[in-house]
Amino acid sequence: MTAAGPTGGYDPRHFEQLFEVEAASFWFRARSDLINWALDSQFPSAQSFLELGCGTGYVVDRVRQLHPDWRLVGTELFEEGLDKARIRMPEGVELRQLDATQVPYEADFDVVGAFDVIEHIPDAPAVLAGMYRAVKPGGGLLITVPQHKWLWSEADVAAHHVKRYTKRELTAEIKDAGFEVIRVASFVSLLLPAMMASRLLKKDAGNVEEELDMAAPINKACYAAMRLEGALIRAGINFPAGGSLLAIARRPA
């Protein structure tokens, strides 16, 4: 839930609150579980990983904990996010301020990722083109984005989203960048009705961080639902709908 781009954006004042809630939040934990499963199952020989729009560093730190010997780089447009990432990871990850539409790397990484980033950026194809250049031939791409235009709400406005994706749109943008798509899976599916109800009933639907900072028993139950969903996704089940999409792709060798 961060961004990196020249005209898309994210209010950097929110990094403070995100830094406080991410590690305990069912949503960040479950999304990171899914990302790490995709990373290890699809690209088992990987030794390096680049994350664009790393925010406060939660995702890349989870990768670091599993793979402390990898070359890990996290980039973020906003220095406020990098300040928090440096607190989270005083060592082990190279952190760099970077506009995601101007990726300078050339075939440097085994896997590249951007998690809830490209929906903030009007020129998302430029980000994907840069990711294609940055990953080695035969290397991998991991992307997450919010799904379904009909789910658009004040929460998307507050998060500075440019769009919500359909599976077809995300697949097309990834293929246009030159990647071969391995799988595009919906997630946050079992909790989708509750998510829709929450955003309809909340007076301040734009306060996304407050939505994530929920009472511990509810957070625990939501994480259990997301873990069940994750197990089904890993078993090969594709949900027809979900609040988000995970795309796994590969640069041709």
Side-chain angles (χ1 to χ4, degrees):
M1 287 192 175
T2 182
T7 55
Y10 179 83
D11 186 342
R13 294 174 297 178
H14 292 310
F15 282 120
E16 182 76 37
Q17 191 172 2
L18 275 177
F19 184 68
E20 296 298 325
V21 304
E22 281 170 310
S25 166
F26 79 91
W27 192 87
F28 285 101
R29 291 171 66 198
R31 185 187 64 164
S32 184
D33 291 345
L34 201 57
I35 290 165
N36 279 306
W37 160 75
L39 180 61
D40 290 341
S41 65
Q42 298 298 324
F43 311 108
S45 62
Q47 293 290 317
S48 57
F49 174 70
L50 166 70
E51 183 187 0
L52 300 183
C54 71
T56 68
Y58 179 73
V59 171
V60 71
D61 185 47
R62 288 284 302 272
V63 176
R64 180 191 64 84
Q65 292 172 35
L66 292 171
H67 302 287
D69 56 332
W70 283 16
R71 180 194 177 195
L72 299 170
V73 178
T75 74
E76 170 58 48
L77 179 63
F78 298 107
E79 187 62 36
E80 292 90 339
L82 292 173
D83 286 343
K84 297 301 182 184
R86 293 184 187 104
I87 295 171
R88 191 188 299 278
M89 301 171 292
E91 58 184 19
V93 177
E94 177 189 337
L95 296 168
R96 177 176 181 179
Q97 190 171 22
L98 182 71
D99 179 338
T101 64
Q102 300 177 23
V103 177
Y105 302 105
E106 296 287 342
D108 285 332
F109 297 92
D110 295 318
V111 182
V112 297
F115 308 113
D116 292 270
V117 169
I118 67 171
E119 70 274 10
H120 295 263
I121 303 173
D123 194 5
V127 181
L128 290 165
M131 297 175 83
Y132 184 88
R133 292 192 303 272
V135 73
K136 298 174 183 177
L141 172 78
L142 299 175
I143 295 276
T144 63
V145 294
Q147 185 179 201
H148 298 312
K149 298 179 188 301
W150 50 266
L151 272 177
W152 186 270
S153 72
E154 287 300 315
D156 294 281
V157 176
H160 299 270
H161 289 171
V162 175
K163 65 189 291 187
R164 297 183 73 93
Y165 276 84
T166 66
K167 186 176 292 188
R168 179 177 295 179
E169 286 172 333
L170 182 60
T171 299
E173 288 191 10
I174 291 171
K175 286 183 175 179
D176 286 347
F179 291 99
E180 297 174 345
V181 175
I182 298 170
R183 185 177 179 188
V184 180
S186 295
F187 67 104
V188 198
S189 301
L190 299 180
L191 293 175
L192 184 59
M195 173 182 159
M196 292 170 61
S198 171
R199 294 192 175 179
L200 285 172
L201 296 173
K202 278 181 61 178
K203 292 182 180 179
D204 184 10
N207 192 336
V208 180
E209 287 79 15
E210 183 182 83
E211 181 179 89
L212 295 171
D213 189 16
M214 56 181 58
I218 299 173
N219 186 67
K220 184 176 180 180
C222 288
Y223 184 54
M226 291 284 285
R227 287 189 66 186
L228 171 61
E229 179 179 286
L232 295 172
I233 291 170
R234 292 193 296 273
I237 293 174
N238 289 319
F239 290 90
S244 295
L245 290 168
L246 167 68
I248 307 169
R250 187 185 306 274
R251 176 176 172 174

